[in-house]
Amino acid sequence: MARVLVVDDAAFMRMMLKDILTKAGHEVVGEAANGLEAVEKYKELKPDVVTMDITMPEMNGIDAIKEIKKVDPNATVIVCSAMGQQAMVIEAIQAGAKDFIVKPFQAARVIEAVQKVLK
């Protein structure tokens, strides 16, 4: 079981991810609607895994990953992106993300990604 921080500017997406993760036995310890919030919540909650949207207001997911990695070089981040954002996914991986999942989310893929990064 992982303690997860879910980051997405869309409440609906956060709800979907929370639902998938909770049903798989993980604990969603917090949510954030943008990168700035994500960095603050990471420091506060120290989750095992962060699911990070890329396109968000105030601070995007890539910058948030870089900031989180400064706080904790061992942070485990899974990037969530829409179709057609391959370049940004590559950038996120270079910034330190461990894996990525594509929207619309498939429950099995989300669970698989979380299990994979925890190994």
Side-chain angles (χ1 to χ4, degrees), residues 34-36 39 54-65 67:
N34 63 51
L36 284 176
V39 176
I54 293 180
T55 316
M56 293 181 292
E58 294 189 62
M59 181 191 281
N60 70 31
I62 292 164
D63 290 337
I65 292 167
E67 289 303 311

Side-chain angles (χ1 to χ4, degrees), residues 8-17 31 33:
D8 199 302
D9 58 337
F12 174 71
M13 287 295 176
R14 294 198 305 272
M15 194 178 73
M16 272 176 59
L17 270 174
E31 296 181 34

Side-chain angles (χ1 to χ4, degrees), residues 10 26 44 46 55 57 62 65 71 73 75 92 107 115:
H26 299 294
E44 180 193 324
K46 309 266 189 296
T55 316
I62 292 164
I65 292 167
V71 175
Q115 285 168 339

